């Protein structure tokens, strides 16, 4: 699964952690060891015949489930079946159904008494006629409202919501598929699958495996028959129904399909079209050709996460559906597409045997994003992905959680930056430590040894040990079965008289010391000598001799370590590092250091060079690092920014350069801004329009009115809102003020504050401004107390900006008593602590 990656502001976090807060007050989980589920019976085959009822959001189902005792003989079977209505529970004996005794009092477990005792390897089939009631189940049991608890989601089932398609999609992870069919809902179970679904003929369906047949019925419905010949886990079962365009692609003769809403049919290949090349790439590096019969991807409205790797049938949230103009800046969904695809090996082919071992699925999926970037877009792009992942973990405050965790409050808590991003960076270190060919050979051994089975972290260790011949307990004990990360300080003591440098590495983290294999590169000019050392102590000193003082000593030469680092290099060192060390992170660190020393001409030179870095990600980082409040810097970088704004080959770089260039507020750039305000890239058009607003308001308004006739997304949408807001035009009152008032306390309301504040700053009608300020204050005070430390400053700043605008207006309209009164009124709503500057 891929969680939603949008950067969340305080409110959304507040709403989510409210639920977690409740869970965390109960700490009994700290003593509850989460053992892997005992296997009494094993699933063998699951055959489902289902028919959705859109009027009730029910699913009528018949299940034939074939099982066998795992090892010990048994006369009973317990299935997960959540909130179902049961009509018949029977044993299948030839053509006959023998009714079985069962107990279903708790609405969650169907406890069946079999007709006799079965021995291991004696298979039997039970038949269950049932009705799944996902909405009622959630209402009854879903107080915590964790992701996917309903299992099956009916979207706009009766078509009441205009402009919204009617869909069904399912979400099994973690243990929710047992809401729509009875099963043993554990990751360690594997079963082959057949599914027939009957729907209105106007819909298409998607499920796991191959579409074997489609049969039109006389009542306007159609029955589709899907079959999975290879076994997989119940949480990976999927059913999707809706009106989709199905765009066909292929890989080595297997079907690769993209199910999108019809209006995205023309861009589907721009969004998903790299999938066959990804399948080829992942097949090659793992040495396991994509094992399943087909691969389809579908989008789902209101989907509860980012995406989910159902075997052969991945679902993506609607955010995957970008239009052609958005895609000009790059496909923001590419990483997610890689992530879910790599799960088809790590997760679906070999499955984490329990949620404690989730990282066996998620760290690989996470790391695949960097692998794909590295392969497709180069080493810098891969390194940028790794760095982002590392920051995601380091900033999450998760240093107390083990990667493999046997104690957790809820299984959903396992889906966190430790299982994903930290796990991904641990794999990156492991790859660097054992080398590429050993790394991928070990993955191959792990996959082939454990295929169609469940695994735990030790299986991965054993594969690596077998391939490399090295004992890796130290690595796994340190990184998999333990928590935290090193925090290091690196100092350099040069002694020219003695001709040696001491590199002093201190581990300053609380708790245990880490064993770290580290590469140290010593540079003279472009010449590099590498030394491999181990840091194991609180303080380690490594001494290197020299005849000429090195230009640079570069610790962690490949920039792979998962750590927090304070590296006490000089500016000259960093300048050398930028030029000669060459890795993405070598250059980024140099840019970051230079950006803290912009008054130094040498640092400024480095930033000027970095504005033309060969990697667009670093050009973008540098654009936002230069301090144009600093007059000298502002002058020094202007021509470079203007050149980037016009000529850079990456649209995002042009857009960012325009954004900063707009802050120069120079009329001479107005023609440039006007020219690109209709650029096909939303970010260029949006930033240009915002920039133009500062130098030629009338022209900006005129262009905005034109652009507003067509739908806009991203930066252009924001920019149009801002330009409109800055107009203070009374005819927009309903759209801007009314729009804000209608929203519930939410992320969206928080985001609407920006344009609203601007609009109120420009709106002349004092009574309307006053009433709207009251609404903002009401919103501010409605946010739960514990989160207001984060939200209050922003909201009060918005109020303060309105005051500033009104004060400016009052200067030219000093007799306006109503305006004076309004200014005092708003001031009175801002608490003293946030009253800065007046
Ligand atoms: Zn995932």
């Amino acid at each position: 699964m891929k969680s939603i990656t949008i950067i969340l502001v305080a409110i959304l976090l507040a709403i989510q952690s409210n639920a977690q807060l409740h869970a965390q007050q109960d700490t009994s989980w700290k003593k509850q060891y989460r053992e892997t589920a005992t296997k009494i019976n094993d699933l063998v085959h699951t055959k489902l015949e289902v028919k959705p009822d859109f009027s009730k959001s029910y699913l009528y189902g018949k299940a034939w489930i074939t099982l066998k005792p795992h090892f010990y003989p048994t006369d009973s079977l317990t299935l997960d079946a959540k909130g179902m209505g049961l009509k018949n529970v029977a044993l299948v004996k030839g053509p006959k159904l023998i009714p079985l005794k069962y107990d279903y009092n708790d609405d969650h477990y169907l406890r069946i008494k079999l007709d006799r005792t079965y021995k291991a390897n004696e298979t039997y089939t039970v038949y269950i006629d049932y009705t799944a009631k996902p909405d009622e189940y959630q209402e009854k049991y879903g107080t915590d409202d964790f992701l996917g608890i309903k299992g099956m989601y009916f979207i706009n089932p009766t078509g009441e919501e205009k402009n919204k398609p009617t869909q069904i999609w399912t979400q099994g992870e973690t243990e929710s598929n047992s809401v729509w069919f009875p099963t043993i809902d554990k990751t360690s179970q594997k079963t082959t699958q057949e599914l027939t679904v009957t729907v209105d003929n106007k819909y298409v369906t998607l499920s796991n495996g191959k579409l074997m047949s489609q049969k039109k019925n006389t009542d306007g419905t159609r029955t589709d028959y899907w079959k999975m010949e290879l076994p997989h886990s119940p949480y990976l079962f999927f059913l999707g129904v809706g009106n989709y365009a199905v765009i066909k692609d292929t890989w080595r003769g297997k079907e690769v399909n993209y199910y999108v809403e019809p209006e995205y049919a023309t861009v589907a290949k721009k969004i998903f079209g790299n999938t066959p090349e990804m399948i080829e790439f992942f097949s090659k590096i793992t040495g396991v050709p994509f094992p399943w019969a087909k691969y389809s991807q579908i989008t789902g409205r209101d989907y509860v996460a980012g995406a989910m790797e159902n075997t052969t049938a991945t679902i993506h949230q609607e955010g995957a559906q970008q239009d052609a103009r958005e895609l000009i800046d790059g496909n923001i969904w590419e990483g997610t597409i890689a992530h879910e695809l790599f799960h088809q090996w790590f997760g679906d082919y070999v499955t984490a045997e329990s949620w404690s071992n989730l990282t066996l699925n998620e760290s690989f999926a996470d790391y695949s994003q960097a692998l794909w970037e590295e392969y497709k877009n180069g080493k810098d792009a891969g390194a940028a992905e790794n760095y982002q992942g590392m920051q995601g973990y380091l900033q999450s405050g998760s240093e107390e959680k083990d990667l493999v965790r046997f104690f957790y409050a809820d299984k959903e808590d396992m889906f966190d930056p430790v299982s994903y991003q930290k796990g991904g960076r641990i794999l990156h270190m492991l790859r660097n430590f054992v080398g590429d060919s050993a790394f991928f050979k070990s993955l191959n051994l792990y996959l082939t040894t454990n295929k169609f089975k469940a695994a735990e972290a030790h299986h991965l260790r054993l594969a690596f040990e077998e391939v490399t011949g090295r004992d890796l307990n130290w690595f796994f004990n340190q990184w998999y079965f333990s928590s935290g990360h090193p925090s290091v300080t690196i100092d350099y003591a040069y002694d020219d008289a003695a001709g040696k440098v001491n590199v002093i590495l201190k581990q300053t983290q609380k708790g245990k010391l880490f064993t770290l294999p580290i590469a140290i590169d010593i540079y003279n000019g472009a010449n590099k000598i590498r030394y491999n050392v181990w840091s194991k102590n609180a303080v380690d000193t490594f001494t290197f001799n020299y005849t000429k003082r090195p230009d640079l000593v570069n610790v962690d030469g490949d920039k792979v370590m998962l750590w927090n680092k304070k590296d006490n290099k000089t500016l000259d060192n960093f300048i050398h590092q930028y030029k000669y060390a060459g890795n993405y992170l070598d250059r980024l660190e140099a840019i970051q250091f230079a950006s803290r020393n912009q008054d130094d001409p040498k640092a400024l030179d480095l930033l000027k060079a970095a504005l033309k870095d060969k990697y667009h990600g670093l050009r973008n980082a540098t654009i936002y690092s230069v301090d144009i409040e600093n007059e000298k810097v502002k002058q020094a970088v202007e021509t470079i920014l203007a050149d980037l704004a016009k000529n850079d080959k990456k649209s995002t770089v042009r857009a960012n350069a325009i954004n900063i260039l707009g802050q120069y507020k120079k009329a001479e750039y107005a023609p440039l801004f006007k020219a690109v305000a209709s650029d096909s890239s939303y970010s260029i058009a949006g930033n240009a329009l915002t920039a133009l607003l500062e130098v030629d308001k009338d022209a900006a308004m005129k262009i905005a009115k034109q652009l507003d006739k067509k739908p806009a997304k991203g930066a252009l949408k924001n920019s149009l809102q801002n330009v409109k807001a800055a107009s203070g035009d009374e005819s927009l009152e309903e759209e801007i003020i009314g729009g804000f008032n209608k929203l519930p306390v939410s992320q969206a309301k928080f985001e609407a504050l920006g344009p609203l504040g601007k609009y109120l700053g420009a709106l002349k009608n004092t009574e309307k401004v006053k009433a709207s300020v009251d609404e903002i204050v009401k919103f501010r005070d409605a946010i739960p107390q514990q989160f207001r430390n984060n939200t209050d400053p922003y909201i009060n700043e918005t109020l303060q900006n309105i005051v500033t605008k009104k004060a400016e207006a009052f200067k030219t309209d000093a007799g306006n008593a109503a305006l004076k009164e309004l200014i005092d009124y708003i001031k009175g709503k801002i608490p003293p602590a946030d009253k800065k500057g007046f």
Side-chain angles (χ1 to χ4, degrees), residues 511-808:
K512 67 165 191 280
L513 291 165
F514 281 76
T515 297
L516 306 170
I518 298 172
I520 299 182
D521 293 340
I522 302 207
Y523 284 83
N524 274 301
N527 186 36
K528 170 180 98 175
I529 300 171
R530 169 160 293 189
Y531 299 91
N532 291 303
V533 302
W534 290 80
S535 164
K536 294 180 178 176
N537 305 297
V539 182
D540 283 302
T541 302
F542 308 104
T543 304
F544 305 98
N545 297 318
Y546 60 79
T547 46
K548 179 175 169 283
R549 181 196 274 229
D551 294 311
L552 169 68
V553 174
N554 196 18
V555 174
D556 183 24
D558 295 331
K559 294 288 174 292
V560 292
M561 299 305 297
L562 168 50
W563 62 13
N564 256 322
K565 169 174 83 166
K566 187 165 187 300
D567 197 339
N568 292 317
K569 286 173 181 148
T570 63
L571 176 60
D572 284 335
N573 292 151
F574 276 118
I575 290 169
H576 202 85
Q577 178 169 318
Y578 181 82
K579 207 165 162 197
Y580 292 103
N583 283 322
Y584 165 85
L585 206 47
D586 288 322
R587 274 139 60 218
L588 180 64
E589 286 173 0
I591 292 165
Q592 288 169 339
F593 187 85
S595 71
R596 292 193 293 271
N597 296 278
Q598 302 197 24
D599 281 323
D600 189 315
K602 284 200 280 186
L604 187 51
D605 281 345
L606 193 157
L607 291 175
K608 282 163 73 179
L611 282 170
K612 299 174 204 162
D613 193 279
K614 64 178 174 167
Y615 179 57
H616 67 91
L618 288 179
R619 296 201 293 284
N620 279 330
T622 313
I623 287 171
Y624 285 111
S625 298
V626 289
D627 175 16
I628 63 158
E629 305 275 295
N630 179 329
E631 199 54 44
K632 242 166 69 190
V633 176
K634 188 177 177 183
Q635 281 180 26
V637 298
E638 184 175 353
T639 50
I640 305 175
L641 286 174
D643 180 52
L644 294 174
K646 284 178 217 155
N647 302 318
D648 199 277
K649 54 187 186 293
K650 275 277 172 185
S651 63
T652 55
V653 176
R654 296 203 298 282
N656 291 327
I658 286 165
N659 185 17
I660 303 296
L661 210 56
Q663 293 169 28
Y664 282 70
K665 299 185 184 175
K666 277 190 173 177
E668 63 178 280
Y669 295 123
L672 167 68
F673 299 152
K674 273 186 217 166
V676 296
S678 50
D679 195 281
S680 49
S681 149
Y682 287 132
S683 61
I684 290 179
N687 288 356
L689 195 60
T690 301
L692 187 61
L693 186 66
E694 297 290 342
V695 290
D696 188 344
K697 199 171 165 183
D698 291 341
M701 299 287 184
K702 219 170 120 191
I703 294 172
K705 272 192 187 140
Q706 281 302 315
L707 294 176
D708 209 26
K709 289 175 187 161
K710 283 190 195 160
K713 283 184 173 181
L716 181 58
K717 190 177 166 191
N718 294 337
S719 179
L720 285 172
Q721 277 174 344
N722 281 329
V723 172
K724 283 194 285 181
S727 71
D729 188 338
E730 288 217 23
S731 69
L732 296 168
E733 187 199 323
E734 184 48 40
E735 181 183 338
I736 298 173
I737 296 181
F740 176 84
N741 292 351
K742 260 184 241 154
L743 289 167
V745 177
S746 64
Q747 159 106 0
K749 196 168 183 115
F750 201 76
E751 283 170 4
L753 266 174
L756 177 65
K758 277 209 180 75
Y759 183 65
L760 295 179
L763 184 65
K764 293 219 162 63
N765 185 324
T766 51
E767 279 312 304
K768 280 180 180 164
V769 175
K770 199 171 163 186
S772 190
V773 162
D774 286 342
E775 287 293 328
I776 295 175
V777 171
K778 227 162 83 185
F779 170 51
R780 179 190 69 193
D781 298 346
I783 295 166
Q785 200 59 41
Q786 68 265 40
F787 306 111
R788 291 191 51 185
N789 275 347
N790 295 323
T791 54
D792 273 20
Y794 180 75
I795 299 175
N796 291 331
E797 196 188 320
T798 304
L799 294 173
Q800 194 178 312
N801 290 340
I802 301 170
V803 169
T804 307
K805 284 281 175 196
K806 296 301 167 200
E808 275 169 24

Side-chain angles (χ1 to χ4, degrees), residues 258 269 271-279 334 372 376:
Y258 318 127
K269 279 207 180 175
I271 300 165
F272 298 109
N274 281 337
T275 305
E277 190 182 346
M278 277 184 198
I279 300 179
E334 182 111 335
W372 169 253
K376 185 70 180 167

Side-chain angles (χ1 to χ4, degrees), residues 286-454:
T286 58
V288 176
F290 180 78
W292 313 102
K294 66 118 199 306
Y295 189 60
S296 291
Q297 296 172 84
I298 191 171
T299 60
R301 284 289 181 112
D302 302 341
Y303 179 59
V304 285
M308 176 68 205
E309 68 271 19
N310 313 296
T311 318
T312 76
T314 284
I315 182 170
H316 296 278
Q317 64 144 285
E318 61 199 89
Q321 295 182 146
Q322 304 151 79
D323 67 28
R325 293 184 66 182
E326 287 177 286
L327 288 161
I328 287 168
D329 290 341
N331 181 359
I332 57 160
W333 217 254
E334 182 111 335
T336 306
I337 293 167
H339 179 114
E340 307 310 330
L341 177 60
F342 210 46
H343 269 312
Q344 304 293 316
W345 286 261
F346 294 91
D348 299 1
Y349 193 59
V350 178
T351 308
E353 71 161 31
S354 69
W355 304 116
S356 295
N357 286 282
L358 181 66
T359 200
L360 286 183
N361 298 0
E362 295 301 348
S363 66
F364 285 102
D366 183 87
Y367 189 45
S368 76
Q369 299 170 217
L371 289 169
W372 169 253
E373 278 294 323
E374 180 185 320
Y375 159 82
K376 185 70 180 167
N377 298 314
K379 234 182 129 196
D380 286 338
E385 181 71 34
N386 275 319
Y387 178 70
Q388 239 176 42
M390 181 166 89
Q391 291 306 313
Y393 157 70
L394 288 175
Q395 287 163 23
S396 68
S398 319
E399 51 281 332
E400 283 176 8
K401 294 177 179 171
D402 292 358
L403 185 61
V404 178
R405 236 166 302 156
F406 295 100
F407 298 88
Y408 50 74
D410 190 285
K411 55 194 183 312
E412 311 296 330
D413 299 346
M414 292 301 299
F415 295 78
D416 70 356
V418 176
S419 297
Y420 285 66
Q421 284 91 342
K422 188 186 186 192
R425 279 19 333 126
I426 289 169
L427 289 174
H428 189 49
M429 283 192 296
L430 185 57
R431 175 184 167 197
N432 184 265
F433 179 65
V434 301
D436 270 18
S437 69
F439 180 77
F440 291 112
K441 198 170 180 204
S442 303
L443 298 195
N444 176 269
L445 183 62
Y446 166 79
L447 287 169
T448 49
T449 308
N450 302 294
K451 66 179 172 186
F452 307 120
K453 290 200 284 192

